[in-house]
């Protein structure tokens, strides 16, 4: 959903001397309890970890504020219901060094400026995937500390089990075997996509959902030239996709078209020889580009696809003029629910990704992370961050009925209950819904990768919503979301994650921008007929000689090291 989209925020460090007891899986970590008689018990160093700190401790941070994030009751990102909660609940004072509205990469730019100009750096900083390069530079700067020992010592069992669902999440933030950043976990399958299709159009045309690329072409042609709602052919967008910045995105995604021919662009895939291969230079790309060129000529995809980002691809879908849009399972809630405002009889249905000529289906898979939290070498109380985050994992990530946070974080902000104690929809919250989870030190609070999908499947099987996640889905997501999740998992083995999850290689730092530029330019010119299809072969040679071959070597050297 729209409110589930991602955004950057926080940072911290310094560790305490020996003799500290480990967390041993519960979130009080032995913190406040001192037992035994001083006369007959050896003196021990008090555990620095506390459930609540008195005197209070301070964690400094910085904020990149989503321009769509709202505030109420006169609050700001520096002073709000979440910062007050941290102080009252844990004795933790969240002190903001600075904040900035994060448009056009402003947060990353300001963070880089602070790093290079010698400004005070935050104790804790969470950086989203959009600023991955800056995260890597901060790790390499020496300002942020090794965190694996802290995690091992202080993280709760709930958090550790969640992190263990994919041990590869640490790879990108490790150096010489040391874990230098704590991955921010996301929900599994959050951006694996299916196709959403206008089922009402299919029914009126007496067509079935397309299972192959050839059948898809038949359906797109009918949607355009025999539109059952009478939409003029030049107004219909049979397949709403866009590739303004990438061929591998989260909504309006075209990468599955190449997947029908055995590759996924702009990610590293496992080759037949067991080595990693950059998907955009695989021979299957040529067939996919040829197909897109054909579809553009026939008006099956937007004429402005090269200028459309993810949100733009949703516009014709919401306007009732698009027949198909690729996207996540949760799209029935946002944005597709809004289609009914323009086309009251519209029915969107989730369907599987169509197969290529030889039956191949590939779609990109979602990584289990959407950022990283760094901890400063100068932080006086790094264990306090774990006090804060352990609580969220144990009580918010997937609470059982009756728990302290089993409806949400802050009543009147991210949830509200009616007189009978039932959760009301977000758009019915008094004074308006506020995604106050984004006020927390780690964006989205705490997520267990498989928790949301389990909740969806429970609902799809007819269970009554009981847990926070189930109630949230039932009330705030589109009615078809659980069924769409089920469709997604029918092709679970067709999802392929980017296999390179390591830090940016040396040659990437100097050559990747150039290689990405020539890739995007060549692909667009082929699709729009400005270059012949054979220009792809020239691109591959230029890519290899322009640094791609060396990057491939570096990527596989890393891959061999983690096998």
């Amino acid at each position: 959903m729209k409110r589930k989209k991602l955004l950057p925020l926080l940072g911290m460090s310094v560790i305490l001397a020996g003799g500290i007891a480990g967390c041993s899986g519960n979130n009080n970590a032995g913190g406040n309890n001192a037992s035994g008689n001083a006369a007959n018990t050896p003196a021990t160093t008090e555990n620095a970890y506390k459930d609540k700190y008195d005197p209070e401790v301070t964690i400094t941070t910085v904020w990149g504020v989503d321009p769509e994030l709202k505030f109420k009751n006169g609050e700001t990102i520096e002073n709000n219901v979440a910062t007050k909660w941290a102080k009252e609940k844990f004795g933790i004072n969240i002190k903001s060094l600075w904040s900035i509205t994060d448009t056009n990469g402003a947060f990353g730019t300001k963070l880089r400026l602070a790093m290079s100009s010698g400004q005070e750096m935050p104790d804790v900083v969470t950086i989203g995937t959009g600023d991955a390069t800056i995260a890597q530079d901060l790790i390499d700067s020496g300002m942020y500390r090794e965190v694996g020992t802290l995690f091992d010592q202080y993280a709760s069992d709930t958090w550790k089990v969640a992190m263990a669902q994919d041990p590869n999440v640490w790879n990108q933030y490790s150096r010489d075997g040391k874990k230098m950043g704590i991955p921010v976990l996301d929900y599994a399958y959050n951006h694996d996509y299916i196709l959403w299709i206008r089922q009402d159009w299919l029914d009126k045309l007496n067509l079935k959902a397309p299972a192959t690329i050839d059948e898809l072409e038949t359906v797109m042609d009918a949607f355009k030239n025999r539109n059952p709602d009478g939409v003029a052919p030049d107004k219909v967008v049979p397949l709403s996709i866009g590739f303004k910045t990438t061929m591998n995105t989260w909504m309006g995604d075209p990468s599955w078209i190449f997947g029908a021919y055995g590759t996924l662009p702009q990610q590293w895939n496992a080759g037949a020889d067991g080595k990693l291969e950059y998907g955009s230079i695989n021979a299957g790309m040529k067939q996919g580009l040829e197909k897109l060129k054909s579809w553009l000529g026939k008006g099956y995809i937007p004429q402005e696809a090269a200028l459309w980002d993810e949100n733009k691809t949703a516009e014709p879908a919401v306007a009732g003029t698009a027949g198909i849009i690729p996207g996540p399972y949760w799209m029935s809630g946002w944005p597709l629910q809004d289609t009914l405002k323009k086309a009251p009889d519209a029915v969107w249905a989730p369907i599987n990704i169509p197969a290529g000529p030889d039956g191949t289906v590939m779609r990109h898979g979602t990584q289990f992370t959407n950022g990283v939290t760094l901890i400063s070498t100068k932080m006086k109380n790094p264990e306090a961050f774990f006090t804060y985050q352990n609580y969220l994992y144990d009580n918010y990530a997937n609470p059982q009925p009756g728990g302290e946070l089993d409806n949400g974080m802050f009543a009147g902000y991210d949830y509200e209950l009616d007189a009978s104690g039932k959760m009301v929809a977000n758009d019915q919250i008094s004074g308006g819904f506020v995604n106050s989870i984004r006020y927390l030190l780690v964006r989205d609070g705490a997520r267990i990768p498989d928790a949301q999908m389990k909740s969806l499947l429970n609902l799809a099987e007819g269970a009554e919503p009981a847990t926070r996640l189930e109630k949230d889905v039932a009330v705030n997501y589109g009615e078809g979301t659980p069924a769409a999740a089920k469709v997604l998992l029918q092709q679970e083995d067709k999802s392929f994650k980017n296999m390179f999850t390591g830090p940016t290689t040396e040659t990437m730092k100097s050559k990747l921008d150039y290689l990405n530029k020539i890739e995007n330019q060549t692909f667009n010119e082929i699709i729009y007929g400005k270059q012949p299809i054979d220009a792809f072969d020239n691109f591959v040679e230029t890519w290899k000689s322009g640094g791609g071959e060396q990057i491939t070597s570096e990527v596989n050297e890393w891959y061999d090291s983690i096998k």
Side-chain angles (χ1 to χ4, degrees):
M1 290 184 67
K2 189 174 183 179
R3 72 181 181 86
K4 305 284 187 199
K5 283 163 64 181
L6 324 119
L7 218 263
L9 351 157
L10 356 67
M12 84 178 157
S13 194
V14 160
I15 193 154
L16 37 187
I20 299 176
C23 178
S24 68
N26 65 57
N27 80 321
N28 91 20
N32 292 326
N33 302 323
S35 60
N37 187 307
N40 54 28
T41 304
T44 59
T45 303
E46 182 187 6
N47 192 338
Y49 185 105
K50 302 287 190 295
D51 288 333
K52 185 170 183 178
Y53 295 85
D54 183 16
E56 72 178 32
V57 296
T58 296
I59 296 177
T60 62
T61 193
V62 294
W63 306 94
V65 184
D66 184 338
E68 295 187 11
L69 183 61
K70 294 180 175 59
F71 297 90
K72 65 196 310 183
N73 303 326
E75 295 176 347
T76 65
I77 196 64
E78 292 85 5
N79 184 18
N80 55 62
V81 64
T83 57
K84 292 171 185 173
W85 168 79
K87 181 173 285 194
E88 292 168 4
K89 183 76 178 174
F90 308 116
I92 295 175
N93 176 39
I94 308 295
K95 178 183 176 183
S96 174
L97 299 182
W98 51 261
S99 64
I100 191 168
T101 302
D102 193 26
T103 54
N104 299 316
F107 175 72
T109 300
K110 187 168 178 64
L111 194 56
R112 187 179 293 282
L113 179 63
M115 175 180 66
S116 61
S117 62
Q119 296 177 31
E120 181 183 356
M121 298 300 289
D123 289 334
V124 172
V125 60
T126 293
I127 303 170
T129 51
D131 291 314
T133 302
I134 297 165
Q136 297 296 333
D137 289 346
L138 281 173
I139 288 172
D140 293 335
S141 72
M143 297 178 180
Y144 289 86
R145 60 157 296 150
E146 183 273 334
V147 295
T149 53
L150 290 176
F151 188 83
D152 290 344
Q153 184 169 14
Y154 294 122
S156 71
D157 282 350
T158 308
W159 193 359
K160 287 177 178 175
V161 169
M163 198 74 79
Q165 288 186 16
D166 183 3
N168 291 324
V169 296
W170 292 98
N171 292 343
Q172 191 173 353
Y173 311 113
S174 296
R175 297 289 189 275
D176 300 323
K178 294 182 178 179
K179 297 169 180 174
M180 302 301 296
I182 302 173
V184 176
L185 294 178
D186 198 4
Y187 291 134
Y189 307 107
N190 214 20
H191 294 130
D192 294 44
Y193 45 79
I194 51 182
L195 295 192
W196 289 94
I197 194 166
R198 284 290 296 272
Q199 184 65 45
D200 55 312
W201 286 5
L202 284 177
D203 293 343
K204 291 173 184 176
L205 290 164
N206 198 28
L207 293 170
K208 63 175 185 174
T212 67
I213 292 292
D214 287 345
E215 290 177 5
L216 177 64
E217 290 189 349
T218 300
V219 168
M220 291 192 296
D221 190 75
F223 282 179
K224 184 174 184 65
N225 297 309
R226 296 189 288 124
N227 189 270
D229 282 355
V231 184
D234 64 335
K235 301 295 184 185
V236 180
V237 180
L239 175 63
S240 190
I241 59 173
F243 38 89
K244 179 179 180 180
T245 56
T246 177
M247 288 281 187
N248 192 331
T249 181
W250 61 270
M251 184 166 67
D253 182 285
S255 65
W256 54 277
I257 298 165
F258 303 97
Y261 302 99
T263 191
L264 290 169
Q266 295 177 332
Q267 69 177 49
W268 292 84
N269 307 311
D273 60 358
K275 294 186 176 297
L276 297 190
E277 171 196 63
Y278 185 56
S280 296
I281 65 167
N282 182 283
M285 286 297 296
K286 197 171 184 178
Q287 294 169 278
L289 290 169
E290 203 159 23
K291 185 60 70 177
L292 282 175
K293 179 181 179 180
S294 167
W295 289 357
L296 183 74
K298 293 175 180 177
Y300 295 165
I301 64 174
Q303 294 300 308
E304 306 84 7
L307 302 175
W308 281 20
D309 63 11
E310 298 90 341
N311 291 318
K312 187 69 177 177
T313 64
E315 291 182 7
V318 171
T321 58
I324 305 167
I325 181 170
Y329 65 85
W330 43 258
M331 279 179 63
S332 67
W334 177 89
L336 299 182
Q337 204 163 256
D338 291 341
T339 307
L340 298 176
K341 296 175 184 177
K342 296 290 180 67
D345 297 327
V347 177
W348 287 102
I351 64 171
N352 287 329
I353 301 295
D358 64 355
T360 300
V361 176
M362 294 177 71
R363 66 177 172 215
H364 77 74
T366 308
Q367 300 291 351
F368 283 13
T369 61
N370 63 27
V372 63
T373 299
L374 305 181
I375 299 179
S376 168
T377 57
K378 295 182 179 179
M379 187 179 181
K380 292 181 179 178
N381 297 96
E383 75 287 343
F385 172 69
F386 292 87
T387 299
Y388 180 102
Q389 198 63 12
N390 282 344
Y391 184 85
L392 291 173
Y393 266 99
D394 292 344
N395 297 280
Y396 176 76
N398 192 22
Q400 294 308 300
E404 191 172 344
L405 300 178
D406 71 340
N407 291 302
M409 277 297 303
F410 304 113
Y413 288 78
D414 60 284
Y415 80 94
E416 187 172 294
L417 304 181
D418 64 17
S420 65
K422 291 186 176 180
M423 186 182 291
V424 304
N426 286 342
D427 58 7
Q428 302 298 315
I429 292 176
S430 305
F433 166 80
V434 176
N435 192 9
S436 51
I437 311 308
R438 290 288 172 82
Y439 301 170
L440 298 170
L441 275 176
V442 176
R443 69 156 183 260
D444 296 321
R447 288 181 170 180
I448 297 171
D450 65 359
Q452 180 138 301
M453 190 57 66
K454 286 180 177 177
S455 298
L456 286 159
L457 294 180
N458 285 342
L459 296 176
E461 295 301 323
E464 284 295 313
T467 67
R468 179 183 71 81
L469 289 175
E470 290 169 357
K471 288 184 285 187
D472 187 29
V473 168
V475 172
N476 294 310
Y477 286 58
E479 189 176 327
T481 303
K486 212 170 177 182
V487 170
L488 176 77
L489 291 185
Q490 288 171 2
Q491 292 183 309
E492 185 177 7
D493 63 341
K494 308 304 181 185
S495 290
F496 297 88
K497 296 179 184 179
N498 185 354
M499 296 289 286
F500 177 66
T501 57
T504 306
T505 73
E506 284 305 309
T507 310
M508 283 180 181
K509 292 175 183 177
S510 59
K511 301 290 187 180
L512 196 56
D513 285 347
Y514 161 72
L515 295 176
N516 288 341
K517 182 179 179 181
I518 62 168
E519 177 179 336
N520 292 337
Q521 181 178 337
T522 303
F523 290 178
N524 286 348
E525 289 180 351
I526 289 173
I527 293 167
Y528 283 86
K530 295 180 179 178
Q531 287 201 58
I533 189 65
D534 287 342
F536 173 77
D537 301 320
N538 297 331
F539 154 72
V540 171
E541 292 308 313
T542 302
W543 185 90
K544 288 180 177 179
S545 62
E549 210 156 36
Q550 180 59 31
I551 289 174
T552 301
S553 176
E554 292 168 352
V555 164
N556 278 288
E557 183 179 350
W558 166 84
Y559 188 50
D560 289 340
S561 75
I562 64 151
K563 281 182 179 177

